[in-house]
Structures are given as structure tokens and as C-alpha cells.
Amino acid sequence: MVRDFLHLCAGHIRMGLLAFSVTALLAAPDLARADLTQLQPGQALRTEIGAQSADFALETSPGDYLAGRISGAGQAVSADLLFPDGRHFRRLSAGSSGEIRFQLVSESEGLILRLGGEGPVTLLLETRLALQMQTPPAPEWLSPRIAQMAAELAAGGTTGAFWQEITANGTPLIETVEGKTIMTFLWRGATRNVRLIGGPSNDHEWLARLGESDIWFKSFEVPPGTRLSYQLAPDVPDIPGTARARRGALSATAQVDPLNKAPWPADAPDRFSQEASVALPDAPLQPGWPPAPDASPQISRFAFDSPALGNSREITISQPQDLDPTDPDLVLLFLFDGERAQSDVQAPALLDGLTRAGRLPPVVAVMIPSIDSATRARELPGDRVFADVLADDLLPEVLARAGIRANPARTVLAGASYGGLGAARIAIQRPDAFGNALSMSGSFWWAPEGVDTDGTPWVASLIAGGEKLPLRVFLSGGLFETGRDGTAGILETSRILRDTLRLKGYETHWREYAGGHDYVIWRGALADGLIALFGK
């Protein structure tokens, strides 16, 4: 009994001493004692931790940024930061046996690093940066001319001479830096913002303002063979509504770059209906472009009424003046988005010129207008009725009007974007009528609602899962037509379709252009595709 009483008394005494020591520790204002080892930035410290924890002093001020690492050489190490008065600030490790990396901002004058564990430990305070030293690095400009202008503005200069230079040379600004081509788009004097539409990107990019000046700019590294057209949208309205509606507000101010030397079309009624264009010296030649001045195709038109589709449209047929309808080499071309094919591609004159130059056999081009965007989006991607109407109704009428015989091997469907998707899809569904498909920037990311192809583009899955068809294909894509947000874009899905066709043994022609979703590319791709499929 006496022994138990003495043990109990001794226990109370130990607990009292422990409580006193903890209270004293928490109340002590000088935990960061002068005898603690100071961790100096950049100097590795190796120490041995015994049965008790070890403390190290960090000289800091509020707002200091600190970064470093702690390694226990495979032994478990705990690490805590304490305020100078002993209060807990931050846990860095609860017992990690690997390297402990930390980044933090101090909230006091001085900190204590307390380590627990047993065995050798290496400490390294890599960085201690005072608040006043925490400044962003100077901007790195892709464009040397923009960098020079930034320096001139910082020194009190103005932009007048810069704009005189740009006006004389035209836009975009093209520079070569260490063998790389830098393309910089420019706008002068916007108030709120400027956005680029159609640049060397898979998105509509925002231009940045150079300081408080009137220079708005965006620079890209581009392939030396780049060709593209673009518009700039200054002071885009910031409207409420959905993201789609807000994105659509771009069209309110999108217009031609006023300093560009190659706007098109030349006869546009206003600056909002015109685009700027640029072709670098290494851009590939576009056969037949611009159309030969002596091109003189024969043009005819007729109304095509389709009860099955519930609509009517005007079909335009272009052919050589001296066409021999019995010529076995004759090519019959059905071209989607026929209104754009005539205005932006100048397809009748382009094709006539290529035939006159001996690059193509005679081509009878049937240009099919889209009627409107809703009809286009319904018919081209996946409408089986539209495919059957083309094969069973429009094709026979064209053959009768032109006085030529059906020959699927010399008949080709062609289009861009949804039209490129439609050309491939309809040729797959009706190879008995159309034995060739010419797809430019086809929207092969599209799939019918509810159809799951397990990541394979829908048209590619049709090819992979079906029997080999009597079909030849030309595909093209732009290097700037990549996907966004982890989804495959036109370029990636077109490559997949290309590979699928080749694996199945199809004659497949492929071209990649340093460009985007753009008629200045497609006018060349149309000629390239026809020459690849039918050229002499």
C-alpha cells in the first residue's frame, strides 16, 4: 500500500513538472534562442536527430518567401514550424521517409523548425526572398520589335515612328529569330480589348496591350510555310448571357486588318465583309491560283426541288466551253457550300484554268448551296436522306443536263468542314454513285447523337467496321486545327481517318497545311486533291 502511494505521488510530481515545462515553453518569448543553429539560404546542413526533437532557427520577416527541402535518408522525419513564442504555425511533414519539399510565406519575425525522428537529416533552405524582392520577371517577348518598343516606351518614347514603319511594311509583322519565324498581329488604339479570329491557333486569341500605349499585339512562332486569313475584333462588347452568346459577340466588330497589304475579297462591300491574308515565302504553291485571266467556263443554273428534303435550291454547273461529254477522262465534281465555292474559291475559273493548263482533265463542277446554316448542319454531317437524294435524284438530273454517262470512278464529292465530313460520309454510304471523296478540314470529330464509338471518329469507325469499298480518298487538315480541352480536333481526327483508310487498303492521299480552318487554304487544297485523284 505504501509503495503504491509513493508511486502515485511520484506520478503526480512528474505530471506537474511536465505541465510546468510545457507551460513555460509556450509562454517563453525567446524560443528562437541565440544558441539555436541558424539555417542559411543555400547552405546544406547535416545533423543527427536523437531521441528528442531538434530545433533550428529561421531568420525571417513577415511576407518572406521560403523554399527548401528536408531529407531523412530513408528514415521517418516529422517537421513543424513554430512561431518564436512556441505556437504551432505549419506542419511540413508528419513522418515522411522521403524528401520533404516546402514552400511557404512567413507570418512573423523569425521561425523555428522542429524536427523529430531518429537518424541523420539533411536540411537545405534553398530560397529566402524578402517581400520587397518579390517582383515578377521582366516580360519575355517573342517579337524583337515588340521588345524594342517596350524598352523605348519605358524610356519615355512614343509610338509614332513604330506605326509609320508598320504602315509602310504592312501587317502582320514577320521576323526571324534564331531560324524561327515569328508572326505578330497588331492593332492600333483599341479602348478595351482586341481579339484575333483565324490566326495560327486553335482558338480566338486575345491581343495584349503594350503598357498604356496604343499598341495591341499577339505573337506566335509559326512554320515558315504558313498561309492564313484573319480578322481582328477591337473592343468586343462584353455582353451578359451564355459563353456561346458572348463568343458570338465577336462578329459585332470583326473586320479586316486595316494595315494588311493582301485583303480579300478585293470587291468586298465593307471592312466587315473582308479578311486580311498572309502567305509566307515557303507557303506551298496553289495550282491554278489566282485563276487564269483567260478562263471562260460555261455556266448554267437550274432549280432543284426535293420533296424528300422539303426544300429547293439553285444548282450551278460549270464546265469547259468545248466539253466532249463522251471523254472517258471527264471528271464529275459535286462541290458542297456551292455559294462559297463560287465566291471564295472562284471554282469555275480555277477549274477551267487547270484544265486549260493540262493539269486536270475536263471537269464538270456541280455546286450545291447550303441554303442556310441550319440546313447545312442538318444535311451534311449525317443525314442519310440527303445522301440518297444526291445519288438518286440530283446525280441523274445532272447527267441528263450535261449529256454524260454515269461513272462512279470519275465522280467525286468535295467539301470543307461539315462539307468535308459530308463528302466522306456520303461516299461511304453511296459508293455506287460516288467513287471518290475529297475532304478538306473535315469535321470528323462529329458523331450522331447517342452514338458511342469508344473514342474512334465516327466516319473512321464506318470504315473500320465495314467491307472495303470501291472508293478513293483525298484528305487534308491544317496544323492550326488541333483540339482544345483534351478533345480531338479536325487535325487529329483526320489523321485517324487517314490511318484507318490506309490500314483497310484504300487509296488515300493526305496533305497537311500550315494553316487553319480557312478558304485561303481550301482553294489550294481543292486543286491539290483533284490533281492527286485525277491529274494527268
Coordinates of all heavy atoms in Angstrom, one line a residue, residues 163-234:
W163 N 4.4 53.0 -85.7 CA 3.3 52.8 -86.6 C 3.6 53.3 -88.0 O 3.0 52.7 -89.0 CB 2.1 53.6 -86.0 CG 1.5 52.9 -84.9 CD1 1.4 53.3 -83.6 CD2 0.9 51.6 -84.8 NE1 0.8 52.4 -82.8 CE2 0.4 51.3 -83.5 CE3 0.7 50.6 -85.8 CZ2 -0.2 50.1 -83.2 CZ3 0.1 49.4 -85.5 CH2 -0.4 49.2 -84.2
Q164 N 4.5 54.3 -88.2 CA 4.9 54.6 -89.6 C 5.6 53.4 -90.3 O 5.3 53.1 -91.4 CB 5.8 55.8 -89.5 CG 5.1 57.1 -89.2 CD 6.0 58.3 -89.2 OE1 7.2 58.2 -89.4 NE2 5.5 59.5 -88.9
E165 N 6.4 52.8 -89.5 CA 7.2 51.6 -90.0 C 6.2 50.5 -90.4 O 6.3 49.9 -91.4 CB 8.2 51.2 -89.0 CG 8.8 49.8 -89.2 CD 9.5 49.3 -88.0 OE1 10.0 50.1 -87.2 OE2 9.6 48.1 -87.8
I166 N 5.3 50.2 -89.4 CA 4.3 49.1 -89.7 C 3.4 49.4 -90.8 O 3.1 48.5 -91.7 CB 3.5 48.8 -88.4 CG1 4.4 48.4 -87.2 CG2 2.4 47.8 -88.6 CD1 5.2 47.1 -87.5
T167 N 3.0 50.6 -90.9 CA 2.1 51.0 -92.1 C 2.8 50.8 -93.4 O 2.2 50.4 -94.4 CB 1.6 52.5 -91.9 OG1 0.9 52.6 -90.6 CG2 0.7 52.9 -93.0
A168 N 4.0 51.2 -93.4 CA 4.8 51.1 -94.7 C 5.0 49.6 -95.1 O 4.9 49.2 -96.3 CB 6.2 51.8 -94.5
N169 N 5.3 48.7 -94.1 CA 5.6 47.3 -94.4 C 4.4 46.4 -94.4 O 4.4 45.4 -95.0 CB 6.6 46.8 -93.3 CG 8.0 47.5 -93.4 OD1 8.4 48.0 -94.5 ND2 8.6 47.6 -92.3
G170 N 3.3 46.8 -93.8 CA 2.1 46.0 -93.7 C 2.2 45.0 -92.6 O 3.2 44.8 -91.9
T171 N 1.0 44.5 -92.3 CA 0.8 43.5 -91.2 C 0.4 42.2 -91.7 O -0.1 42.1 -92.9 CB -0.2 44.0 -90.2 OG1 -1.4 44.5 -91.0 CG2 0.3 45.2 -89.4
P172 N 0.6 41.1 -91.0 CA 1.3 41.1 -89.7 C 2.8 41.3 -89.8 O 3.3 41.2 -90.8 CB 1.0 39.6 -89.1 CG 0.7 38.8 -90.4 CD 0.1 39.8 -91.4
L173 N 3.4 41.6 -88.6 CA 4.8 41.8 -88.5 C 5.5 40.4 -88.6 O 5.2 39.5 -87.8 CB 5.1 42.5 -87.2 CG 6.6 42.6 -86.8 CD1 7.4 43.5 -87.8 CD2 6.7 43.2 -85.4
I174 N 6.4 40.2 -89.5 CA 7.1 38.9 -89.7 C 8.6 39.2 -89.3 O 9.3 40.0 -89.9 CB 7.0 38.4 -91.1 CG1 5.5 38.3 -91.5 CG2 7.6 37.0 -91.2 CD1 4.7 37.4 -90.7
E175 N 9.1 38.4 -88.4 CA 10.5 38.4 -88.0 C 11.1 37.0 -87.9 O 10.4 36.0 -87.7 CB 10.7 39.1 -86.6 CG 10.1 40.5 -86.6 CD 10.0 41.0 -85.1 OE1 9.0 40.6 -84.5 OE2 10.8 41.8 -84.7
T176 N 12.4 36.9 -88.1 CA 13.1 35.7 -88.0 C 14.1 35.8 -86.8 O 14.9 36.7 -86.7 CB 13.9 35.3 -89.2 OG1 13.0 35.3 -90.4 CG2 14.7 34.0 -89.1
V177 N 13.9 34.9 -85.8 CA 14.7 34.9 -84.6 C 15.4 33.5 -84.5 O 14.7 32.5 -84.3 CB 13.9 35.2 -83.4 CG1 14.7 35.2 -82.1 CG2 13.2 36.5 -83.6
E178 N 16.7 33.4 -84.6 CA 17.4 32.2 -84.5 C 16.8 31.1 -85.3 O 16.6 29.9 -84.9 CB 17.5 31.7 -83.0 CG 18.2 32.7 -82.1 CD 18.2 32.3 -80.6 OE1 17.5 31.3 -80.3 OE2 18.9 32.9 -79.8
G179 N 16.5 31.4 -86.6 CA 16.0 30.5 -87.5 C 14.5 30.2 -87.4 O 13.9 29.5 -88.2
K180 N 13.8 30.8 -86.4 CA 12.4 30.6 -86.2 C 11.6 31.9 -86.7 O 12.1 33.0 -86.6 CB 12.1 30.5 -84.7 CG 12.8 29.2 -84.1 CD 12.5 29.2 -82.6 CE 13.2 27.9 -82.0 NZ 13.0 27.9 -80.5
T181 N 10.4 31.6 -87.3 CA 9.6 32.6 -87.8 C 8.6 33.1 -86.8 O 7.8 32.3 -86.2 CB 8.8 32.1 -89.1 OG1 9.8 31.7 -90.0 CG2 8.0 33.2 -89.7
I182 N 8.6 34.4 -86.5 CA 7.7 35.0 -85.5 C 6.7 35.9 -86.3 O 7.1 36.8 -87.0 CB 8.5 35.8 -84.5 CG1 9.6 34.9 -83.8 CG2 7.5 36.4 -83.4 CD1 9.1 33.7 -83.1
M183 N 5.4 35.6 -86.1 CA 4.4 36.4 -86.7 C 3.6 37.1 -85.6 O 3.1 36.5 -84.6 CB 3.4 35.4 -87.4 CG 2.3 36.1 -88.2 SD 1.2 34.9 -89.1 CE 2.4 34.4 -90.4
T184 N 3.5 38.5 -85.7 CA 2.9 39.3 -84.7 C 1.8 40.1 -85.3 O 1.9 40.8 -86.3 CB 3.9 40.3 -84.1 OG1 5.0 39.6 -83.5 CG2 3.2 41.2 -83.0
F185 N 0.6 39.9 -84.8 CA -0.6 40.6 -85.2 C -0.8 41.9 -84.4 O -0.5 41.9 -83.2 CB -1.9 39.7 -85.1 CG -1.8 38.5 -85.9 CD1 -1.1 37.4 -85.5 CD2 -2.4 38.5 -87.2 CE1 -1.1 36.2 -86.3 CE2 -2.3 37.4 -88.0 CZ -1.7 36.2 -87.5
L186 N -1.2 43.0 -85.0 CA -1.2 44.3 -84.4 C -2.5 45.0 -84.6 O -3.1 44.9 -85.7 CB 0.0 45.1 -85.0 CG 1.4 44.6 -84.7 CD1 2.4 45.2 -85.7 CD2 1.8 45.0 -83.2
W187 N -2.9 45.8 -83.6 CA -4.0 46.7 -83.8 C -3.6 48.0 -83.0 O -3.0 48.0 -82.0 CB -5.3 46.1 -83.2 CG -6.5 47.0 -83.4 CD1 -6.9 48.0 -82.6 CD2 -7.3 47.0 -84.5 NE1 -8.0 48.6 -83.2 CE2 -8.3 48.0 -84.4 CE3 -7.4 46.2 -85.7 CZ2 -9.3 48.2 -85.3 CZ3 -8.4 46.4 -86.6 CH2 -9.3 47.4 -86.4
R188 N -4.1 49.1 -83.6 CA -3.8 50.4 -83.0 C -5.0 51.1 -82.4 O -6.0 51.3 -83.0 CB -3.2 51.4 -84.1 CG -2.7 52.7 -83.5 CD -2.1 53.6 -84.6 NE -1.4 54.7 -83.9 CZ -0.8 55.7 -84.6 NH1 -0.7 55.6 -86.0 NH2 -0.1 56.6 -84.0
G189 N -4.8 51.3 -81.1 CA -5.7 52.3 -80.4 C -7.1 51.8 -79.9 O -8.0 52.5 -79.8
A190 N -7.2 50.5 -79.7 CA -8.5 50.0 -79.1 C -8.6 50.5 -77.6 O -7.6 50.9 -77.0 CB -8.5 48.5 -79.1
T191 N -9.8 50.5 -77.1 CA -10.0 51.0 -75.8 C -10.0 49.9 -74.7 O -9.4 50.1 -73.7 CB -11.4 51.8 -75.7 OG1 -11.4 52.8 -76.7 CG2 -11.6 52.3 -74.3
R192 N -10.7 48.8 -75.0 CA -10.9 47.8 -74.0 C -10.2 46.5 -74.4 O -9.6 45.9 -73.5 CB -12.4 47.5 -73.8 CG -13.2 48.7 -73.4 CD -14.6 48.3 -73.0 NE -15.3 47.5 -74.0 CZ -16.0 48.0 -75.0 NH1 -16.0 49.3 -75.1 NH2 -16.6 47.2 -75.8
N193 N -10.3 46.0 -75.6 CA -9.7 44.7 -75.9 C -9.6 44.6 -77.4 O -10.2 45.4 -78.2 CB -10.6 43.6 -75.4 CG -12.1 43.6 -75.9 OD1 -12.3 43.6 -77.1 ND2 -13.0 43.8 -74.9
V194 N -8.9 43.6 -77.9 CA -8.8 43.2 -79.3 C -8.7 41.7 -79.3 O -8.0 41.1 -78.6 CB -7.6 43.8 -80.0 CG1 -7.6 43.4 -81.5 CG2 -7.6 45.3 -79.8
R195 N -9.5 41.0 -80.3 CA -9.4 39.6 -80.4 C -9.1 39.2 -81.8 O -9.5 39.8 -82.8 CB -10.7 38.9 -80.0 CG -10.5 37.5 -79.5 CD -11.6 37.0 -78.6 NE -11.4 35.7 -78.1 CZ -12.2 35.0 -77.4 NH1 -13.4 35.5 -77.1 NH2 -11.9 33.8 -77.0
L196 N -8.3 38.2 -82.0 CA -7.8 37.7 -83.3 C -8.7 36.5 -83.7 O -8.9 35.5 -82.9 CB -6.4 37.3 -83.2 CG -5.8 36.5 -84.4 CD1 -5.8 37.4 -85.6 CD2 -4.4 36.1 -84.1
I197 N -9.2 36.5 -84.9 CA -10.0 35.4 -85.4 C -9.3 34.9 -86.7 O -9.1 35.6 -87.6 CB -11.4 36.0 -85.9 CG1 -12.1 36.7 -84.7 CG2 -12.3 34.8 -86.4 CD1 -13.3 37.5 -85.0
G198 N -9.0 33.6 -86.6 CA -8.3 32.9 -87.7 C -6.8 33.0 -87.7 O -6.2 32.7 -88.7
G199 N -6.2 33.2 -86.6 CA -4.7 33.3 -86.5 C -4.2 31.9 -86.4 O -4.9 30.9 -86.6
P200 N -2.9 31.8 -86.2 CA -2.2 30.4 -86.1 C -2.4 29.8 -84.8 O -1.5 29.5 -84.0 CB -0.7 30.8 -86.4 CG -0.6 32.2 -85.9 CD -1.9 32.9 -86.1
S201 N -3.7 29.5 -84.5 CA -4.1 28.9 -83.2 C -5.4 28.2 -83.4 O -6.1 28.3 -84.4 CB -4.3 30.1 -82.2 OG -4.9 29.7 -81.0
N202 N -5.7 27.4 -82.4 CA -7.0 26.6 -82.4 C -8.1 27.4 -81.7 O -9.1 26.8 -81.4 CB -6.8 25.2 -81.9 CG -6.4 25.2 -80.4 OD1 -6.3 26.3 -79.8 ND2 -6.2 24.1 -79.9
D203 N -7.8 28.7 -81.4 CA -8.8 29.4 -80.6 C -8.8 30.9 -81.1 O -7.8 31.3 -81.8 CB -8.6 29.4 -79.1 CG -9.8 29.7 -78.3 OD1 -10.8 30.1 -78.9 OD2 -9.7 29.7 -77.1
H204 N -9.7 31.7 -80.7 CA -9.7 33.1 -81.0 C -8.9 33.8 -79.9 O -9.3 33.9 -78.7 CB -11.1 33.7 -81.0 CG -12.0 33.1 -82.0 ND1 -11.5 32.6 -83.2 CD2 -13.4 32.9 -82.1 CE1 -12.5 32.1 -83.9 NE2 -13.7 32.3 -83.2
E205 N -7.7 34.3 -80.2 CA -6.8 34.7 -79.2 C -7.0 36.2 -78.9 O -7.3 37.0 -79.8 CB -5.3 34.5 -79.7 CG -4.9 33.1 -80.0 CD -4.6 32.3 -78.8 OE1 -4.5 32.9 -77.7 OE2 -4.4 31.1 -78.9
W206 N -6.7 36.6 -77.6 CA -6.8 38.0 -77.2 C -5.4 38.6 -77.5 O -4.4 38.0 -77.2 CB -7.1 38.1 -75.7 CG -8.5 37.6 -75.3 CD1 -8.8 36.4 -74.8 CD2 -9.7 38.3 -75.5 NE1 -10.2 36.3 -74.6 CE2 -10.7 37.5 -75.0 CE3 -10.0 39.6 -76.0 CZ2 -12.1 37.9 -75.0 CZ3 -11.3 40.0 -76.0 CH2 -12.4 39.1 -75.5
L207 N -5.4 39.8 -78.0 CA -4.2 40.6 -78.1 C -3.9 41.3 -76.8 O -4.9 41.5 -76.0 CB -4.3 41.7 -79.2 CG -4.0 41.2 -80.6 CD1 -4.9 40.2 -81.1 CD2 -3.9 42.4 -81.6
A208 N -2.7 41.5 -76.5 CA -2.3 42.2 -75.2 C -1.9 43.7 -75.5 O -1.5 44.0 -76.7 CB -1.1 41.5 -74.6
R209 N -2.1 44.5 -74.6 CA -1.8 45.9 -74.7 C -0.4 46.1 -74.2 O 0.0 45.6 -73.2 CB -2.7 46.8 -74.0 CG -2.6 48.3 -74.3 CD -3.7 49.1 -73.6 NE -3.6 50.5 -73.9 CZ -4.4 51.4 -73.5 NH1 -5.4 51.0 -72.6 NH2 -4.3 52.7 -73.8
L210 N 0.4 46.8 -75.0 CA 1.8 47.1 -74.6 C 1.8 48.3 -73.7 O 1.7 49.5 -74.1 CB 2.7 47.4 -75.8 CG 4.2 47.5 -75.6 CD1 4.7 46.2 -74.9 CD2 5.0 47.7 -76.9
G211 N 1.9 48.0 -72.4 CA 1.8 49.1 -71.4 C 0.5 49.9 -71.5 O -0.5 49.3 -71.5
E212 N 0.7 51.2 -71.5 CA -0.5 52.1 -71.6 C -0.5 52.7 -73.0 O -1.2 53.7 -73.3 CB -0.5 53.2 -70.6 CG -0.6 52.6 -69.2 CD -1.9 51.9 -68.9 OE1 -2.9 52.3 -69.4 OE2 -1.8 50.8 -68.2
S213 N 0.2 52.1 -74.0 CA 0.3 52.7 -75.3 C -0.9 52.3 -76.2 O -1.8 51.6 -75.7 CB 1.6 52.2 -76.0 OG 1.5 50.8 -76.4
D214 N -0.8 52.7 -77.4 CA -1.9 52.4 -78.4 C -1.6 51.1 -79.2 O -2.2 50.8 -80.2 CB -2.2 53.5 -79.3 CG -0.9 53.9 -80.1 OD1 0.1 53.4 -79.9 OD2 -1.1 54.9 -81.0
I215 N -0.6 50.3 -78.7 CA -0.2 49.1 -79.4 C -0.8 47.9 -78.7 O -0.6 47.6 -77.6 CB 1.4 48.9 -79.4 CG1 2.1 50.1 -80.1 CG2 1.8 47.6 -80.0 CD1 3.6 50.0 -80.0
W216 N -1.6 47.2 -79.5 CA -2.2 45.9 -79.1 C -1.5 44.8 -80.0 O -1.4 45.0 -81.2 CB -3.7 45.8 -79.3 CG -4.4 46.7 -78.3 CD1 -4.6 48.1 -78.5 CD2 -5.1 46.4 -77.1 NE1 -5.3 48.6 -77.4 CE2 -5.6 47.6 -76.6 CE3 -5.3 45.2 -76.5 CZ2 -6.4 47.6 -75.4 CZ3 -6.1 45.2 -75.3 CH2 -6.6 46.4 -74.8
F217 N -1.1 43.7 -79.4 CA -0.3 42.7 -80.2 C -0.5 41.3 -79.6 O -0.9 41.1 -78.5 CB 1.2 43.1 -80.1 CG 1.8 42.8 -78.8 CD1 2.6 41.7 -78.5 CD2 1.7 43.7 -77.7 CE1 3.1 41.4 -77.3 CE2 2.2 43.4 -76.4 CZ 2.9 42.3 -76.2
K218 N -0.2 40.4 -80.5 CA -0.1 38.9 -80.2 C 0.9 38.3 -81.1 O 0.8 38.4 -82.3 CB -1.5 38.3 -80.3 CG -1.5 36.8 -80.0 CD -1.2 36.5 -78.5 CE -1.3 35.0 -78.2 NZ -1.1 34.7 -76.8
S219 N 1.9 37.6 -80.5 CA 3.0 37.0 -81.3 C 2.9 35.5 -81.3 O 2.5 34.9 -80.3 CB 4.3 37.4 -80.8 OG 4.5 38.8 -80.9
F220 N 3.2 34.8 -82.4 CA 3.3 33.4 -82.5 C 4.5 32.9 -83.2 O 5.0 33.6 -84.1 CB 2.1 32.9 -83.3 CG 0.7 33.2 -82.8 CD1 0.1 34.4 -83.2 CD2 0.0 32.4 -82.0 CE1 -1.1 34.8 -82.7 CE2 -1.3 32.7 -81.5 CZ -1.8 33.9 -81.9
E221 N 5.0 31.8 -82.8 CA 6.0 31.1 -83.6 C 5.3 30.2 -84.6 O 4.4 29.4 -84.2 CB 7.0 30.3 -82.8 CG 8.0 29.6 -83.6 CD 8.9 28.6 -82.8 OE1 9.0 28.8 -81.6 OE2 9.4 27.7 -83.4
V222 N 5.6 30.4 -85.9 CA 4.8 29.7 -87.0 C 5.7 29.0 -87.9 O 6.9 29.3 -88.0 CB 3.9 30.7 -87.8 CG1 2.9 31.4 -86.9 CG2 4.8 31.7 -88.5
P223 N 5.2 27.9 -88.6 CA 6.1 27.3 -89.6 C 6.4 28.3 -90.8 O 5.5 29.1 -91.1 CB 5.2 26.1 -90.1 CG 4.2 25.9 -89.0 CD 4.0 27.2 -88.4
P224 N 7.5 28.1 -91.4 CA 7.8 29.1 -92.5 C 6.9 28.9 -93.7 O 7.0 29.8 -94.6 CB 9.3 28.7 -92.8 CG 9.4 27.3 -92.3 CD 8.5 27.1 -91.1
G225 N 6.1 27.9 -93.8 CA 5.2 27.7 -94.9 C 3.8 28.1 -94.6 O 2.8 27.7 -95.3
T226 N 3.6 29.0 -93.6 CA 2.2 29.4 -93.1 C 1.5 30.2 -94.2 O 2.1 31.1 -94.8 CB 2.3 30.1 -91.8 OG1 2.8 29.3 -90.8 CG2 1.0 30.7 -91.4
R227 N 0.2 29.9 -94.4 CA -0.7 30.7 -95.1 C -2.0 30.8 -94.4 O -2.5 29.7 -93.9 CB -0.9 30.1 -96.5 CG -2.0 30.8 -97.3 CD -2.3 30.1 -98.7 NE -1.3 30.5 -99.7 CZ -0.5 29.7 -100.3 NH1 -0.4 28.4 -99.8 NH2 0.4 30.1 -101.2
L228 N -2.6 31.9 -94.2 CA -3.8 32.0 -93.5 C -4.5 33.4 -93.8 O -3.9 34.3 -94.4 CB -3.6 31.9 -92.0 CG -2.6 32.9 -91.3 CD1 -3.2 34.3 -91.0 CD2 -2.1 32.3 -90.0
S229 N -5.8 33.4 -93.4 CA -6.5 34.7 -93.5 C -7.1 34.9 -92.1 O -7.2 34.0 -91.3 CB -7.6 34.6 -94.5 OG -8.6 33.7 -94.1
Y230 N -7.4 36.2 -91.8 CA -7.8 36.5 -90.4 C -8.5 37.8 -90.4 O -8.5 38.6 -91.3 CB -6.5 36.6 -89.5 CG -5.6 37.8 -89.8 CD1 -5.7 39.0 -89.1 CD2 -4.7 37.7 -90.8 CE1 -4.9 40.1 -89.4 CE2 -3.8 38.8 -91.1 CZ -3.9 39.9 -90.4 OH -3.1 41.0 -90.7
Q231 N -9.2 38.0 -89.3 CA -9.8 39.3 -88.9 C -9.5 39.7 -87.5 O -9.0 38.8 -86.7 CB -11.4 39.2 -89.1 CG -11.9 39.2 -90.5 CD -13.4 39.3 -90.5 OE1 -14.1 38.7 -89.8 NE2 -13.9 40.1 -91.4
L232 N -9.6 40.9 -87.2 CA -9.4 41.4 -85.8 C -10.7 42.1 -85.3 O -11.4 42.8 -86.1 CB -8.3 42.5 -85.8 CG -6.9 41.9 -86.1 CD1 -5.9 43.0 -86.4 CD2 -6.4 41.1 -84.9
A233 N -11.0 41.8 -84.1 CA -12.2 42.4 -83.5 C -11.8 43.3 -82.3 O -11.5 42.8 -81.2 CB -13.1 41.2 -83.0
P234 N -11.8 44.6 -82.6 CA -11.5 45.5 -81.5 C -12.7 45.9 -80.6 O -13.8 45.9 -81.1 CB -11.0 46.8 -82.3 CG -11.8 46.8 -83.5 CD -12.0 45.3 -83.8

